[in-house]
Amino acid sequence: MARKNYPFLRAIGAFYGLPEPAAEAAESPTLDEPWRELNWREKQENLRYVQEYKPQQDDIRYLRILLYGPVGSGKSSFINSVSNVIRGRMTIPALASAMTSDQSFTKRYETHKFIKGRGNAKTFYPLVFNDMMGLEDGTNRGVHADDIKLALEGHVKEGHKFNPVAPISQHDPGYNPTPSADDKVHVLVCVMSANTPQMKSSVLEKMKSVRETASDLGIPQMAMMTHVDEACCETEKNLRNVYKSKYLRKKMRDFSSAVGIPMNCIFPVKNYSEEIDMNDDIDTLILSALRKMVDFGDDLREDLN
């Protein structure tokens, strides 16, 4: 039996100069081996894959990726981070808030394109992200789930200002009655924060409702788990611990069970926030997820053909 549980024996040990027994080793917060393999040296290969991507159909100029999720999950910051990676420098195409709030910073339906190169003649990568107001707890708060569903079908015009009380109607000037193939969403991505203690039940219900509509439309779905460095001290020390972190793996599993997105469609990432220079490890995680978005979007178009 351990001597530390018996004061009398501990006193005798001290009298004879015996060393204090070592405390029981705390359980390690990381696994010995990563639970998901990631080649941290494949950044350039994935970057070329994304940069050289071209839609095969003549009626589609852009692969359209719609981001949705709770307020403060980091949707706008992720768009900025993707822009940084693709362009190889710090950029800010999407305005993002650095303040913690329970209200959405983004109010309108916004499309973000990424410029190729520099100069007067602007060309864009055939990849766009749509950002929107975040989901909030309760009724008449945040983006209405029906607005997200309409956006999936291309019925929401660029710049439409969301009304939390009532979803967009066919008589609204922001409603697009005849969406083209280019207006429709090809990949739906849920963005959630690893730093959130527990997602509210009303938010989960809205997310499930959106997922059901996307499934009916045959739209591929993914999830991004942001703020992994803030949620896990081991990942903060070394981002390459992301797939060794027991906490992050459990967080992803819990989210997968709550929302229904399979684990192999959930990707942990770190957005650019405090950095002023590019970072290979941040880029590698973002590109790993971005390549899957491109692949999933291509799968959808092949099915449509």
Side-chain angles (χ1 to χ4, degrees):
M1 295 184 182
R3 189 172 67 238
K4 64 179 181 178
N5 294 329
Y6 298 89
F8 176 71
L9 294 177
R10 289 172 64 115
I12 291 179
F15 177 80
Y16 285 104
L18 298 177
E20 184 73 15
E24 293 182 1
E27 183 181 355
S28 173
T30 57
L31 301 165
D32 293 335
E33 297 294 331
W35 60 270
R36 178 185 287 176
E37 292 298 328
L38 177 64
N39 187 347
W40 293 91
R41 296 186 295 274
E42 65 182 4
K43 170 189 168 181
Q44 292 303 323
E45 177 188 343
N46 284 341
L47 181 59
R48 283 193 298 271
Y49 185 88
V50 172
Q51 289 177 330
E52 295 172 2
Y53 165 74
K54 294 180 181 178
Q56 299 301 315
Q57 287 83 345
D58 294 335
D59 60 341
I60 295 178
R61 295 175 300 163
Y62 301 104
L63 176 73
R64 187 174 299 276
I65 301 167
L66 175 61
L67 303 182
Y68 79 109
V71 171
S73 57
K75 300 186 299 297
S76 300
S77 294
F78 179 70
I79 292 172
N80 291 337
S81 297
V82 168
S83 177
N84 294 347
V85 175
I86 292 179
R87 302 189 65 190
R89 64 181 181 86
M90 305 303 285
T91 61
I92 47 171
L95 294 179
S97 175
M99 297 184 295
T100 302
S101 173
D102 62 349
Q103 294 187 336
S104 181
F105 181 74
T106 303
K107 305 293 185 184
R108 299 180 182 275
Y109 192 61
E110 301 172 350
T111 300
H112 297 279
K113 301 177 182 179
F114 307 112
I115 300 173
K116 279 188 176 181
R118 300 189 183 187
N120 295 327
K122 287 186 178 180
T123 57
F124 299 92
Y125 287 103
L127 183 74
V128 300
F129 280 90
N130 275 104
D131 195 8
M132 59 167 47
M133 176 182 277
L135 291 165
E136 297 181 29
D137 182 32
T139 57
N140 299 334
R141 297 189 62 189
V143 65
H144 201 287
D146 287 345
D147 280 337
I148 305 178
K149 297 175 185 179
L150 289 170
L152 292 174
E153 299 179 283
H155 287 300
V156 180
K157 289 183 179 180
E158 172 72 11
H160 169 70
K161 187 173 183 179
F162 295 103
N163 181 359
V165 177
I168 188 173
S169 71
Q170 296 183 8
H171 305 291
D172 195 295
Y175 184 85
N176 179 10
T178 55
S180 67
D182 226 12
D183 296 325
K184 297 177 181 179
V185 171
H186 304 116
V187 184
L188 176 65
V189 179
C190 175
V191 183
M192 52 87 67
S193 172
N195 228 6
T196 303
Q198 188 173 0
M199 209 170 289
K200 301 292 186 181
S201 59
S202 65
V203 174
L204 284 173
E205 287 303 316
K206 294 174 186 177
M207 292 170 65
K208 289 178 181 178
S209 176
V210 171
R211 271 183 43 74
E212 289 174 1
T213 298
S215 296
D216 291 341
L217 295 171
I219 298 174
Q221 301 175 50
M222 291 175 51
M224 311 292 301
M225 190 172 69
T226 59
H227 302 143
V228 295
D229 56 320
E230 298 175 15
C232 174
C233 59
E234 297 302 318
T235 306
E236 184 180 27
K237 294 175 189 174
N238 185 352
L239 196 56
R240 297 193 180 194
N241 284 329
V242 65
Y243 286 125
K244 289 185 177 182
S245 169
K246 295 178 181 178
Y247 174 80
L248 294 180
R249 182 177 63 167
K250 182 181 185 304
K251 194 77 176 178
M252 290 172 64
R253 283 176 171 174
D254 291 345
F255 178 74
S256 175
S257 298
V259 181
I261 297 177
M263 280 287 284
N264 61 0
C265 294
I266 304 176
F267 293 83
V269 296
K270 173 184 165 22
N271 289 332
Y272 277 95
S273 53
E274 299 177 351
E275 300 78 13
I276 59 173
D277 295 309
M278 302 300 293
N279 179 286
D280 283 345
D281 289 347
I282 295 176
D283 294 354
T284 299
L285 284 179
I286 291 172
L287 284 166
S288 173
L290 193 56
R291 180 165 182 166
K292 290 297 184 291
M293 293 180 196
V294 171
D295 288 342
F296 290 171
D298 267 347
D299 290 343
L300 170 63
R301 288 200 307 278
E302 288 176 5
D303 291 342
L304 293 176
N305 285 339

